[in-house]
Amino acid sequence: MKAGSWPSIIGIYLFGVCGAATVSKIIPLTSDIGNDFGLAVANFGWLVALIAVPAAIFSLPSGLVVDRLGAKTVLLLAAALGCVANIIYYYAPSLLVVQIARLMEGLAIVHIYTAGPAMLMVSTEGTKRTRAMTLWSTYAPVGTALGLVVGGLFSQSDAWRNTFIVHGILYIAAALLGVLQPTLPVAASNAMSTLKDKFADLGSAFLRPMLLMLAAAFFLMVSMGLGANVTFPNYLASAHHISVHSASTMVASTTLAMILGSLGVGVILPRGIRPGILFACIAVGGLIAGTLCFLPSVSVEARYGALIGWFILTGAALATIMATLPVVADPARPGAAAALINFAGAVATFLNPPLWLGIAATGQWTPFIGLLAIGWTLAVILLWGAILLAMRAKAANAKAQPET
């Protein structure tokens, strides 16, 4: 594969899809895991969130790993670790072993989520970079849908552990394609600098105010997206008196609508539309669609429409943030920028499943609307702030250029 080509971009993207499926594949298996290992439904959210523990711990240092070993090597090693974790799942004799496998998967995806976007930012430029980054933003909905479908296919049956066989095979497929990826050279400064210098270098990159604001906006979007996703299957099953399998399929099929939103942003932004204006419009529509998703009196047909609207708009929001990442990142440290975004997503993944599933267990729906209203509002403010600071920094650099 040629660096920056579409086959290379899509190959990198497949690693992200496999990683995102890790989060959602066990959601349809709630009763299966609970029955086999005595895990209460009320505590299941913590098992879902456990995957984010290593991600929260290692997200920032993963930038060092990518800089030292190279993105391609990191992606291949992460896929191998994901395969091993699925084997452990399949043979797990106790809940403790399941938790160990969950932690291993968390360690795998933290490096995928850093290496993937870092490799895209380095190997592409211009319009292709914008479109590559918006495509990358769709790994979450596609992977989430894939995980729900695979888990739902085997849920509430004696063959529920086959979920992990299928997921392991998907990791193998991504790795086989990954071998064909180009090996991008590691910068000499990255190879020769000491660990202390590297941490200092990353620290200066992380402290860029515009990058911190964008990471906070990404945290909010992942919080709302993941929180709603883990809540929908059981919520819809209860609201419409259908099986969890049917509800999971319903959510999975509509989740793919996020691709339309993400790719739409990839078409719109290169035409000169301001990201801040676009994101504000997306937020208004997202709040309306999200409210309709949780209204108890909505019919199944209307719920489908609301879910499709929700996923299109959240996909567009994530794509707008990812397309803005190269603008606010330090050009010399793309791995640091990707690592910080990764960290924000990891923290959101850890905090939100217990929160949203806990609210769902109360049978109330109005708190969800409050979470969505606060989340969308703050995300708009943060994205606008990040873009404004980036524009000021660019103007200051341009003004100082003649003097250097």
Side-chain angles (χ1 to χ4, degrees):
M1 294 182 188
K2 182 181 178 181
S5 66
W6 279 110
S8 174
I9 291 170
I10 293 172
I12 296 168
Y13 171 75
L14 292 178
F15 283 94
V17 171
C18 286
T22 297
V23 179
S24 61
K25 67 182 179 184
I26 69 169
I27 294 173
L29 306 179
T30 301
S31 61
D32 302 293
I33 293 175
N35 292 336
D36 273 29
F37 301 118
L39 180 64
V41 174
N43 297 324
F44 191 78
W46 290 109
L47 181 62
V48 176
L50 189 62
I51 197 171
V53 172
I57 295 172
F58 295 107
S59 288
L60 302 185
S62 69
L64 297 176
V65 176
V66 172
D67 285 342
R68 178 69 68 175
L69 299 180
K72 175 181 176 179
T73 299
V74 172
L75 288 173
L76 293 176
L77 291 175
L81 184 59
C83 286
V84 172
N86 276 290
I87 293 172
I88 294 174
Y89 271 126
Y90 186 80
Y91 291 104
S94 67
L95 181 61
L96 176 61
V97 177
V98 170
Q99 292 170 333
I100 292 172
R102 196 75 176 153
L103 291 172
M104 290 178 64
E105 284 190 310
L107 189 59
I109 66 173
V110 67
H111 293 302
I112 289 176
Y113 294 164
T114 295
M119 191 170 183
L120 291 175
M121 283 191 284
V122 170
S123 62
T124 59
E125 59 183 19
T127 299
K128 179 172 276 190
R129 174 184 287 175
T130 298
R131 289 176 176 164
M133 295 303 288
T134 54
L135 174 65
W136 174 260
S137 72
T138 68
Y139 78 79
V142 174
T144 297
L146 179 64
L148 289 173
V149 168
V150 172
L153 184 64
F154 299 107
S155 66
Q156 298 177 329
S157 72
D158 293 335
W160 66 270
R161 290 179 188 252
N162 288 346
T163 298
F164 309 117
I165 293 179
V166 174
H167 193 215
I169 291 172
L170 293 173
Y171 262 126
I172 292 173
L176 291 175
L177 291 175
V179 172
L180 302 177
Q181 287 285 347
T183 301
L184 301 178
V186 178
S189 59
N190 288 334
M192 299 301 293
S193 60
T194 65
L195 186 62
K196 180 180 178 180
D197 291 337
K198 278 184 166 294
F199 271 111
D201 196 43
L202 284 175
S204 65
F206 294 148
L207 294 177
R208 289 170 66 86
M210 64 279 279
L211 181 56
L212 290 170
M213 295 178 78
L214 191 71
F218 185 76
F219 166 84
L220 291 169
M221 289 311 309
V222 173
S223 295
M224 291 187 289
L226 178 63
N229 273 6
V230 300
T231 305
F232 282 151
N234 288 315
Y235 182 86
L236 298 181
S238 175
H240 298 293
H241 307 289
I242 58 179
S243 69
V244 175
H245 170 75
S246 298
S248 296
T249 302
M250 179 180 178
V251 175
S253 62
T254 53
T255 298
L256 295 176
M258 288 184 78
I259 300 173
L260 297 177
S262 298
L263 297 183
V265 168
V267 173
I268 292 172
L269 285 181
R271 299 188 177 186
I273 303 297
R274 289 173 141 189
I277 298 295
L278 176 61
F279 193 81
C281 295
I282 291 169
V284 173
L287 179 57
I288 295 172
T291 299
L292 293 175
C293 285
F294 284 106
L295 279 176
S297 58
V298 173
S299 66
V300 173
E301 294 77 15
R303 189 88 68 186
Y304 261 112
L307 286 170
I308 291 171
W310 164 259
F311 286 121
I312 287 176
L313 291 164
T314 52
L318 288 169
T320 305
I321 291 174
M322 292 305 297
T324 307
L325 179 59
V327 176
V328 303
D330 186 336
R333 305 178 183 94
L340 186 61
I341 292 293
N342 188 1
F343 175 75
V347 174
T349 302
F350 176 73
L351 295 178
N352 283 278
L355 172 63
W356 289 69
L357 291 175
I359 294 174
T362 67
Q364 300 181 39
W365 62 275
T366 50
F368 293 128
I369 310 306
L371 289 174
L372 294 178
I374 294 171
W376 280 110
T377 302
L378 291 178
V380 170
I381 293 172
L382 288 165
L383 183 76
W384 275 62
I387 293 173
L388 179 60
L389 289 176
M391 291 174 61
R392 288 180 176 176
K394 183 178 180 180
N397 290 336
K399 184 177 180 181
Q401 191 66 34
E403 301 176 2
T404 57

